[in-house]
Structures are given as structure tokens and as C-alpha cells.
């Protein structure tokens, strides 16, 4: 396991931070080790977005419709219509009198089927969100490395300018200033 971790740490250091692992401090290596372990776990549990089966596409559509105001409105209308039909309209000839036992059975079966379908869709969405988070994290690492590199370059340029100014000052002190001609 340690060799596998080192491979991931080396990848992170070389490809994401554009530096060798030898140039990193102990704290940075520890952070990269934790990141590598998380990435390895995330990649193992990833779900491909392309090539979804019919059941997966159906689960996504059911979850999308089941969590919409359209579904809530239609379902509320159905429940109110069922209650009105079995209490007011049909009178004594109701097929499901007031405690609405048959309606309760239908709703229980619907919930028993709909809940796992929605959970399948949510699990796949969570896996896609994890992959998006990993990609965002990689981009942030690259941006952090680029900013650090720019800061180092600016520091180098600032020191170079200061050294040049110091050299100019020293040059002015050693050379006599020629008298100004009028």
C-alpha cells in the first residue's frame, strides 16, 4: 500500500504542482499523502456519466419528476379527487370508503417502488458530484501552484531590482560626480 501511495504522491507533486517530490517539505508530503488516499478512494467509487443503462435513465427521470412541483400538484389533486369521489360523488356506492384503505395500500406500494428509484438516482448524482469536486480540487491545486510560482518570480525580480539599485548606489558613491557646467 505504501508503494502505491508514493506513486500517487509523486503524481500529485509532479503533475499538479509542477515540482519534484524532493523539493517538498514534510508537511506538504503529508498533505499530498492524505489527498492521494482520498483521490484513490474516489476514483475507485466513480460512476461513468456516459453509457447509462435504461434503468439508470429511467431512475433519473422518475427522480426529476418526483421532486417537482408538477408532481406535487398532480398528486395533491389526485388525493383530493379520490377523497371527493369516495365521499361526496359516489355516496353509498363507494369502492373505497372513508378510511381509504385501498388508497393507503396504493400509496404504500408507490412509496415502496419510488423511494429506491430516487435513491439510485441520488447515489449516482452524489458520485458525479464527488468527481466534480475532485476535478475542482485539481484545478485549485494547479492554480495554487501557478500563483506560488508567480510569487517566486516576483520575489526574484524584486530582489534583482534591489540588487541593481544597490549596485547603482555603490557605483555613484565611488565615482566622483562631475561638476555641472553652466
Amino acid at each position: 500500500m505504501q508503494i502505491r501511495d508514493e506513486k500517487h504522491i509523486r503524481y500529485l507533486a509532479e503533475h499538479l504542482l509542477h515540482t519534484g517530490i524532493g523539493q517538498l517539505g514534510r508537511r506538504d508530503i503529508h498533505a499530498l499523502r492524505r489527498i492521494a488516499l482520498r483521490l484513490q478512494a474516489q476514483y475507485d467509487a466513480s460512476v461513468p456519466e456516459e453509457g447509462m443503462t435504461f434503468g439508470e435513465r429511467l431512475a433519473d427521470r422518475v427522480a426529476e419528476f418526483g421532486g417537482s412541483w408538477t408532481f406535487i400538484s398532480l398528486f395533491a389533486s389526485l388525493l383530493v379527487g379520490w377523497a371527493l369521489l369516495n365521499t361526496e360523488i359516489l355516496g353509498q356506492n363507494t369502492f373505497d370508503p372513508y378510511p381509504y384503505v385501498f388508497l393507503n395500500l396504493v400509496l404504500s406500494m408507490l412509496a415502496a417502488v419510488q423511494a429506491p428509484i430516487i435513491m439510485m438516482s441520488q447515489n449516482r448524482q452524489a458520485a458525479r458530484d464527488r468527481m466534480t469536486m475532485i476535478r475542482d480540487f485539481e484545478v485549485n491545486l494547479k492554480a495554487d501552484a501557478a500563483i506560488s510560482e508567480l510569487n517566486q518570480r516576483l520575489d526574484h525580480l524584486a530582489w534583482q531590482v534591489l540588487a541593481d539599485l544597490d549596485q547603482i548606489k555603490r557605483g555613484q558613491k565611488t565615482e566622483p560626480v562631475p561638476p555641472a557646467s553652466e
Side-chain angles (χ1 to χ4, degrees), residues 37-47 130-131 133-134:
L37 289 173
R38 280 191 200 143
L39 288 177
Q40 183 178 349
Q42 298 296 339
Y43 284 131
D44 292 344
S46 66
V47 174
R130 280 192 301 274
M131 294 306 293
M133 178 193 68
I134 289 170

Side-chain angles (χ1 to χ4, degrees), residues 125-140:
Q125 183 60 43
R128 285 192 294 265
D129 291 344
R130 280 192 301 274
M131 294 306 293
T132 300
M133 178 193 68
I134 289 170
R135 280 187 228 118
D136 290 347
F137 182 74
E138 289 173 350
V139 167
N140 289 342

Side-chain angles (χ1 to χ4, degrees), residues 48-106:
E49 292 185 22
E50 293 98 25
M52 291 188 344
T53 65
F54 172 75
E56 291 170 338
R57 287 192 306 271
L58 181 63
D60 286 343
R61 288 192 187 121
V62 167
E64 183 179 339
F65 180 69
S68 68
W69 282 108
T70 304
F71 173 78
I72 292 171
S73 301
L74 288 173
F75 206 67
S77 300
L78 175 78
L79 294 177
V80 169
W82 186 283
L84 286 175
L85 180 69
N86 283 295
T87 54
E88 300 295 324
I89 297 174
L90 294 178
Q92 296 296 326
N93 298 329
T94 63
F95 59 90
D96 190 19
Y98 166 63
Y100 309 122
V101 175
F102 184 64
L103 176 64
N104 192 13
L105 173 69
V106 170

